[in-house]
Amino acid sequence: MQTVDLKQQILEEVKPYFRQIDEVSEVNTLKILDSMRELRVSDAHFKPSTGYAYGDISREKLDELYAKIFKAEKALVRTQFVSGTHALATVLFGILRPDDELVSLTGAPYDTMQTVIGHAHESKGSLKEFGVSYRELPLIDGKVDIDGIKKIVTSKTKVALIQRSRGYSMRDSLMIEDIEKICAAVKKANPNCVTFIDNCYGEFVETREPVEVGADIIAGSLIKNIGGGLAPTGGYIVGRADLVELASYRLTAPGMGDELGASLGDPRLLYQGLFLAPHVTAQALKSAVFAAGLFNRLGYNTHPLLGDKRGDIIQAIELKTPEKLIAFCRAIQKYSPVDSFAAPEPWDMPGYEDQVIMAAGTFVQGASIELSADGPLRPPYAVYLQGGLTFEHAMLAILAAAEELSKL
Ligand SMILES: *Cc1c(COP(=O)(O)O)cnc(C)c1O
């Protein structure tokens, strides 16, 4: 079949799902708009500051805004976080003490988090070096073992780590209702155990966020969903006031916490990016749904399927051969607004066992809310596709990738 006909057919099929995505985006847009109105955000909050930046109104207002949107007691939103991993690690190092125990309830965590924890492989400066013990509850058929929670979470467990997104694996992403059940099971096993959600890629995919359903603290990256494609760098932590405070002493220094830290560059981008985030997340979700429909029709396994519930913006497609994986990533790169002339090559990325290929022709370096694709060179040669600032762009690039694959 001609790609043009196929495109029209898939666009028909995705309509009901796009409508649901638009509805979620509208609810989240209203939530942000109302918060910005109630907190009287104004031009004065978009100015940078210098030095210690005591009483920086840009920083303080943004923290207030995030706390309100997430229905949390306190927030720490900073471009001083170099990435999502930094924000997540700051929570763990902020709360955990020697001899404490951490458990992961969603199987093996995201690769960079394994390095922070230090139990899967040796890593300098890890939690393990500080005497924090660690255990993992394996997933069952890609799902959390709810019954297993009461066995793994004991009176000794200080923090339970729960990863919302599939990350780069074939497991399911968690829906907010799943997070609610998991948090309830943790609190039943040990009311003092802190429920900590890795919220990366999950923001604004649904109308509620983890703190509303029992999470004590959550963290994520500003160059994913919540930065709306405009945030130049950074991370956030929101949750219970006492826990966010502990994290703030790890970000800066004991006694200093959240009271210092200059708003560098153009703080407006963090506000404007947040305002755009529900819409941009919707664009990314539509791109993922379209890719699932198209590639499934072309005979590839996709995870999730077109109509499946989604708790994150990631779309996995099993491409079956290394040639196809490479061709897919090259096509995405070729149809990117930035560095379109570069041809991605598989490389030995630190922390990964197999070679990895990545396509990211993004305005913000490595921003995966912008259209990007990557995958490890091992069977089933799955490509992980995410982002898309506009559905139109993502669709064009996805169609081009399908065209390239048809030539192999
Ligand atoms: C992106 C991501 C992180 C953090 O990655 P950074 O590249 O450091 O921002 C952590 N966990 C998950 C599930 C992620 O998707």
Side-chain angles (χ1 to χ4, degrees), residues 10 34 46 58 89 97 116 119 127 131 137 158 166 170 198 205 237 247 265 280 283-284 334 344:
I10 306 296
D34 280 347
F46 304 155
S58 177
R97 296 290 176 270
V116 169
H119 283 258
L127 286 167
L137 183 64
K158 181 84 159 275
R166 76 195 61 244
M170 283 293 175
D198 174 347
V205 170
I237 297 170
V280 172
Q283 300 294 296
K334 195 169 157 187

Side-chain angles (χ1 to χ4, degrees), residues 83-86 88 110 112-113 163 165 167 198 200-201 221 224:
S83 69
T85 305
H86 185 194
L88 289 154
Y110 194 73
T112 57
M113 294 310 293
Q163 184 181 308
S165 163
D198 174 347
C200 283
Y201 288 133
S221 165
K224 293 180 180 172

Side-chain angles (χ1 to χ4, degrees), residues 274-332:
L274 175 64
F275 179 69
L276 292 179
H279 181 74
V280 172
T281 302
Q283 300 294 296
L285 278 168
K286 288 178 180 181
S287 309
V289 171
F290 180 83
L294 180 68
F295 277 86
N296 206 231
R297 181 69 70 82
L298 293 171
Y300 298 94
N301 288 330
T302 68
H303 195 80
L305 295 166
L306 182 146
D308 284 348
K309 282 190 184 172
R310 285 164 193 269
D312 67 14
I313 62 168
I314 300 179
Q315 180 63 50
I317 306 168
E318 294 183 11
L319 295 174
K320 300 177 207 162
T321 71
E323 292 76 25
K324 285 186 174 174
L325 174 57
I326 294 169
F328 187 101
C329 290
R330 289 198 171 152
I332 296 294

Side-chain angles (χ1 to χ4, degrees), residues 112-259:
T112 57
M113 294 310 293
Q114 296 191 24
T115 308
V116 169
I117 296 164
H119 283 258
H121 48 83
E122 288 296 316
S123 51
K124 283 186 188 154
S126 68
L127 286 167
K128 188 181 178 193
E129 278 196 351
F130 284 87
V132 173
S133 65
Y134 172 75
R135 290 185 303 141
E136 221 166 75
L137 183 64
L139 296 168
I140 300 178
D141 296 330
K143 300 206 184 316
V144 173
D145 175 11
I146 297 276
D147 290 333
I149 292 177
K150 59 178 176 286
K151 282 175 231 137
I152 194 158
V153 173
T154 66
S155 57
K156 228 185 133 280
T157 313
K158 181 84 159 275
V159 176
L161 172 64
I162 299 148
Q163 184 181 308
R164 184 170 175 185
S165 163
R166 76 195 61 244
Y168 299 121
S169 74
M170 283 293 175
R171 56 160 272 210
D172 292 335
S173 54
L174 298 180
M175 302 302 294
I176 286 292
E177 61 190 28
D178 299 322
I179 293 175
E180 185 162 30
K181 283 184 201 135
I182 296 165
C183 290
V186 171
K187 294 294 178 183
K188 201 169 166 203
N190 174 2
N192 296 321
C193 178
V194 171
T195 46
F196 172 34
I197 316 295
D198 174 347
N199 208 35
C200 283
Y201 288 133
E203 301 90 357
F204 307 133
V205 170
E206 295 190 67
T207 54
R208 293 183 301 167
E209 295 292 334
V211 175
E212 295 169 67
V213 296
D216 291 315
I217 188 163
I218 74 176
S221 165
L222 298 194
I223 63 168
K224 293 180 180 172
N225 308 17
I226 198 157
L230 288 186
T233 187
Y236 73 91
I237 297 170
V238 304
R240 238 169 62 191
D242 59 325
L243 301 172
V244 176
E245 185 184 342
L246 285 172
S248 77
Y249 297 140
R250 192 50 43 195
L251 168 64
T252 61
M256 293 183 172
D258 67 350
E259 294 180 53

